[in-house]
Amino acid sequence: MTIRLPDAHGRLRTYEPRTEPLTVRRGSAFSSRTVFSAAHVVADPYADVSPDSPAAVDWDATLAFRRHLWSHGLGVAEAMDTAQRGMGLDWAGAAELIRRSAAEAKAVGGRIACGVGTDQLTGGTLAEVRAAYEEQLAVVEEAGAQPILMASRALAATAKGPEDYLETYGHLLRQSAEPVILHWLGPMFDPALEGYWGSADLDAATDTFLEVISAHPDTVDGIKVSLLDAQREIDLRRRLPQGVRCYTGDDFHYPELIAGDQQGFSHALLGIFDPLGPLAAEAVRVLDTGNVDGFRALLDPTVELSRHLFQAPTRFYKTGVVFLAWLAGHQSHSTMVGGLQSARSLPHFARAYELADGLGLFPDPKLAEERMRTLLNLYGVTP
């Protein structure tokens, strides 16, 4: 049976869905790479809220999705950009998410790292930015999770130059109870982070970033880089102090960055590994055997889907991630906190469905097809 899907020009074309999903194994953690999936949150579709209301979260479905990721050996990067931090999920909601997910991780033996930011602020002094970071760091540490020091909109707005970043991050790293992951999120993911590390010149910003790390190598587990520039990431990871990991956040070039070269490789902390979870886990297990070609054969075909979901405006990639989770049967609806389900068009959804179906990502292809037809009918596309 075929289905008619709208293309980018508004024309309907015929697509024949696959009938069988890709078969993958479940398994424990990996031996050659440390891999986190940045996980999305599931909204409560029955809550009487508006886009300006605090997020209403379906906790059962949200935690069930994390158990799904852990069951495949993936770590969970919690309360990150993928969970709509600053785009529907406020600090109060994020704090609750961190506590609940960390407790769930402890119960099932899953690995978890959680975002530490300053999103309880809209502005403020450097002292207030530090205090906001400290408040969130305490919540993550008390929950028993590894901290990820996220880029701060408030710091970007307040800092006068590189020295303010050096002072702020140095202060936080000196008091962290365990090694943290430093997160550099580019402005394509959040325009408010333009000029982070004190300069719009990425070479100068990189030097400041590395200065922070080299001053505190024992308290930096690794860095997470989301600049969508593969060569810049490679150059940066080659300059890291011994023992400091590079976690790729590049949703355009992750197969080659994780595979690496003769001088090193990247680990992973990726939003695209939310919809790709089982397939990504299977690929990394192949890489664990030393089979780089087999790893690339599994993961390279996924890049087209990732580039589609993360196309500009990149910050709305979360809409596609949640949409695919609905089609895959991980949740009963595609509603998002903040009403963000409206951030992408029907042709965008149609192409995401086609690409994901072609990869065999849907455990029940028939369910995915039925849900896609439901969406098409809602938009007025009749059989």
Side-chain angles (χ1 to χ4, degrees):
M1 184 177 292
T2 61
I3 185 172
R4 293 197 303 163
L5 301 174
D7 64 19
H9 304 287
R11 295 187 295 261
L12 292 175
R13 53 192 170 78
T14 298
Y15 173 70
E16 184 173 354
R18 64 185 292 161
T19 57
E20 297 294 333
L22 180 72
T23 301
V24 296
R25 302 167 292 165
R26 295 179 187 269
S28 57
F30 317 113
S31 60
S32 65
R33 303 290 189 274
T34 300
V35 181
F36 291 96
S37 166
H40 74 280
V41 293
V42 182
D44 178 355
Y46 304 122
D48 185 11
V49 295
S50 70
D52 294 330
S53 302
V57 177
D58 180 337
W59 294 111
D60 289 342
T62 293
L63 295 176
F65 188 76
R66 279 131 185 83
R67 291 193 297 272
H68 156 71
L69 295 172
W70 285 318
S71 75
H72 287 278
L74 296 159
V76 169
E78 189 56 277
M80 301 291 292
D81 181 58
T82 307
Q84 295 182 245
R85 287 289 291 271
M87 290 186 71
L89 188 70
D90 61 11
W91 165 235
E96 181 71 9
L97 178 64
I98 288 165
R99 295 185 183 102
R100 287 175 179 260
S101 291
E104 195 73 18
K106 184 177 181 180
V108 304
R111 182 165 186 167
I112 189 167
C114 298
V116 172
T118 64
D119 44 333
Q120 65 270 59
L121 296 178
T122 55
T125 65
L126 286 177
E128 290 170 330
V129 169
R130 286 195 300 271
Y133 264 129
E134 289 169 344
E135 177 190 352
Q136 297 200 14
L137 181 61
V139 169
V140 171
E141 290 182 339
E142 288 167 6
Q146 182 181 15
I148 304 171
L149 291 186
M150 301 170 66
S152 162
R153 292 175 180 174
L155 181 56
T158 303
K160 304 301 182 186
E163 63 283 352
D164 288 338
Y165 289 89
L166 294 171
E167 178 186 346
T168 300
Y169 279 91
H171 176 83
L172 295 168
L173 290 171
R174 284 190 294 271
Q175 63 179 279
S176 178
E178 66 172 289
V180 308
I181 298 173
L182 293 181
H183 186 193
W184 185 358
L185 191 68
M188 66 288 294
F189 289 92
D190 187 343
L193 299 177
E194 182 70 46
Y196 211 73
W197 303 110
S199 177
D201 182 321
L202 289 180
D203 292 333
T206 298
D207 289 341
T208 302
F209 187 42
L210 286 168
E211 188 174 346
V212 169
I213 298 163
S214 61
H216 308 275
D218 294 336
T219 50
V220 178
D221 163 68
I223 62 169
K224 194 258 188 177
V225 188
S226 299
L227 298 175
L228 304 184
D229 184 332
Q231 190 57 53
R232 183 168 293 278
E233 178 175 322
I234 292 169
D235 293 342
L236 176 56
R237 81 184 181 201
R238 289 176 179 172
R239 297 173 63 187
L240 291 174
Q242 185 70 27
V244 176
R245 297 168 173 161
C246 179
Y247 293 91
T248 187
D250 189 329
D251 300 278
F252 286 0
H253 308 99
Y254 50 94
E256 59 260 43
L257 290 166
I258 297 170
D261 54 32
Q262 293 80 5
Q263 298 184 51
F265 56 82
S266 294
H267 300 270
L269 197 166
L270 288 160
I272 191 57
F273 280 6
D274 178 305
L276 291 184
L279 192 158
E282 179 76 8
V284 177
R285 288 198 177 84
V286 170
L287 186 60
D288 284 346
T289 69
N291 184 355
V292 176
D293 289 342
F295 166 79
R296 295 293 299 269
L298 281 170
L299 215 53
D300 281 0
T302 69
V303 172
E304 186 177 4
L305 171 63
S306 188
R307 285 180 174 265
H308 177 71
L309 296 182
F310 286 78
Q311 68 183 237
T314 302
R315 63 189 181 277
F316 294 123
Y317 76 88
K318 282 84 82 173
T319 301
V321 166
V322 172
F323 170 69
L324 292 181
W326 172 57
L327 293 185
H330 294 298
Q331 54 195 80
S332 61
H333 60 90
S334 60
T335 303
M336 299 176 67
V337 298
L340 207 64
Q341 67 272 12
S342 64
R344 293 296 199 188
S345 68
L346 181 61
H348 182 90
F349 290 135
R351 183 60 177 156
Y353 162 72
E354 181 179 1
L355 291 170
D357 181 70
L359 292 168
L361 294 186
F362 302 130
D364 184 345
K366 186 63 177 177
L367 174 66
E369 179 187 344
E370 290 172 354
R371 289 185 169 183
M372 189 66 221
R373 289 185 187 277
T374 297
L375 182 69
L376 291 166
N377 290 337
L378 181 65
Y379 276 79
V381 180
T382 56

